[in-house]
Amino acid sequence: MAQHWQELIPIDRYQVTSSGLLHEYDRKVLTFLYQPLIGSTCLGLYLTLWAEIEENRLWSGSSTHHLLMNLLSVNLKDIYEARLKLEGIGLLKTYVKSDESGRSFIYELHPPLNPEQFFLDGMLNIYLYRKIGKNHFARLKRFFSDQQKPLNEEYLEVTRAFQDVFASATPGSLQYMQDHSDDLEAEQKHEFIGRQDQKPIQIDTNTFDFDMLLAGLNESLVPQKALTKKVREVISNLAFLYGISPIEMKNFILGAINENDEIDIEDLRKGARDWYQFENYDQLPSLINRTQPAVHQEQVTEPKTQEEKLIRYYETTPPIVIFKELSGGVEPSVSNLKILEEVMIKYKLPPGVVNVLIEVTLRKTDMKFTKGFVESIASHWARLKIKTVREAMEAARKEERSVKESKKTGKSTRKPIRTEVLPDWFDDNGKNKDIDSGKENPKDNNVELEAKKRAIEEKLKAFRK
């Protein structure tokens, strides 16, 4: 992925359009339901773009991104990152055109989900509940709902039908309408102003292994026709939301089959949610970045050295995959996952930085992943405002050099318990060594330690490939 300055520069021009009318009520939905998930910068960008089209209804004038930077008082990187979040959550579509005069964008605003869609979404409502808590979530539900109409058997409907009020047109008037039909339609290259309901977030069904799921389901218990398009979409969303494998999903489907051999979607959702809460001490998942955000990725060219390859790998791989590979393929425990989640949410460390944190922690603590040690590094890196993989690796090297200097000068108050096995990139002299060179470090005369290090290097090579 390219850096933000390769995707966007201040002189790039843009226009704003809308997929339909945006209503005043949408502002409340965006402020109270979407803002906790996407942040105030994203909301500010959306509302600013919206304000630009209000004067001209569906299209704004042409402006530069430098104007946006001044209006929002943020840098271009923040605008680019906010734009990506708006795109991901379904509030914005972006189109770009490049020609000899430069690059121009069209930002198409999409309306938010209405409150009923949001609270019944099955994904966004779960993330919001985890973010703001039970009490405030209940308060928002009351804010966006009201009592049902007091209609009962005591009231009789007396509404007149269309045909009871209006008469049919005469043949003459029908002929008049046909003669002037062109005047009644929208003009060429114009469209009537209207609004289409926003579609809920949908995870691509290709991301879930349905072949494995079908192989685990008994045809006599769950007929294949029960996996309708709607059911498949719900399964994909649940698998993403709760991290459910095809084998685990089979159990929830078996528990959601009704007497008509159909899968009850609500029972399926409830089963997955109850399982997740049981496994995670009654907690619900949070909305975090899956991999390193594009704005914090540095290795955009083809990596050549060992360090560049490692940086690129950490920038494009989810932390849970890194943890599993460094652990020899062993699945992380529930407590390990909880620590990872808390680090990314509480200390706001990007996924690539968390990947470096995982390797440092596992190597320096004999493959243990204790909360206290992890949080001590995470809080330190958060104070240093570390956002990139390279910065995290340099911070780890600096800390290691500091520890070695303290030992040499005798200023260290901590007693060394053992000799840590450190990652390759801790060695400043080996920064540009090719990943497959396999050269030994001439400074290390300890044959036994060197053999251990080579064995670990070989394992890491296999994992990283």
Side-chain angles (χ1 to χ4, degrees), residues 111-335:
L113 298 173
N114 64 50
E116 181 180 8
Q117 288 177 307
F118 191 99
F119 282 106
L120 300 178
D121 179 68
M123 283 187 62
L124 296 182
N125 58 336
I126 298 293
Y127 292 134
L128 181 66
Y129 185 95
R130 173 65 190 273
K131 180 71 175 181
I132 65 177
K134 178 180 179 180
N135 293 335
H136 193 59
F137 186 83
R139 176 172 169 246
L140 287 179
K141 283 181 67 176
R142 292 192 298 270
F143 179 81
F144 285 105
S145 61
D146 204 348
Q147 293 181 349
Q148 293 183 343
K149 299 180 182 68
L151 296 180
N152 52 46
E153 60 277 2
E154 296 178 3
Y155 289 84
L156 297 176
E157 184 177 0
V158 293
T159 308
R160 298 294 189 273
F162 178 86
Q163 65 274 14
D164 296 333
V165 180
F166 300 99
S168 180
T170 62
S173 61
L174 289 175
Q175 183 61 44
Y176 177 84
M177 298 292 283
Q178 292 173 1
D179 295 340
H180 297 82
S181 59
D182 292 341
D183 298 332
L184 302 175
E185 298 175 356
E187 296 182 15
Q188 258 189 336
K189 297 184 179 180
H190 283 69
E191 61 178 333
F192 289 115
I193 297 174
R195 169 165 172 151
Q196 294 181 347
D197 288 335
Q198 174 69 303
K199 294 181 180 179
I201 300 294
Q202 177 56 55
I203 304 301
D204 189 349
T205 54
N206 292 327
T207 60
F208 185 80
D209 192 345
F210 281 97
D211 291 336
M212 182 179 291
L213 175 64
L214 289 171
L217 289 172
N218 190 324
E219 182 68 25
S220 61
L221 293 176
V222 183
Q224 191 166 342
K225 65 178 183 179
L227 294 174
T228 62
K229 182 175 181 292
K230 176 63 177 175
V231 170
R232 287 173 178 263
E233 290 176 349
V234 171
I235 289 174
S236 300
N237 283 1
L238 291 175
F240 174 85
L241 179 64
Y242 299 119
I244 302 173
S245 69
I247 302 301
E248 293 168 333
M249 185 66 72
K250 177 190 69 173
N251 300 324
F252 306 135
I253 291 176
L254 292 174
I257 287 288
N258 59 24
E259 61 276 6
N260 299 321
D261 285 339
E262 297 174 343
I263 298 174
D264 189 303
I265 290 176
E266 288 307 312
D267 286 346
L268 182 62
R269 284 175 173 165
K270 186 177 185 303
R273 184 175 64 248
D274 291 346
W275 167 82
Y276 184 91
Q277 288 184 292
F278 178 78
E279 293 287 331
N280 293 274
Y281 308 100
D282 208 31
Q283 297 294 315
L284 289 171
S286 302
L287 188 61
I288 53 178
N289 289 319
R290 185 185 181 96
T291 56
Q292 185 78 349
V295 294
H296 296 314
Q297 291 188 14
E298 291 184 330
Q299 192 58 47
V300 295
T301 59
E302 184 65 28
K304 298 178 181 179
T305 66
Q306 176 181 4
E307 181 167 307
E308 288 178 350
K309 291 178 180 179
L310 187 58
I311 289 174
R312 186 60 182 156
Y313 178 62
Y314 280 165
E315 287 180 340
T316 57
T317 309
I320 190 172
V321 175
I322 294 292
F323 194 102
K324 184 176 178 180
E325 291 184 349
L326 291 176
S327 302
V330 178
E331 292 287 346
S333 67
V334 173
S335 60

Side-chain angles (χ1 to χ4, degrees), residues 13 60 172 210 215 279 349 393 432:
R13 304 197 69 83
S60 74
F210 281 97
E279 293 287 331
L349 295 181
M393 293 171 70
N432 298 319

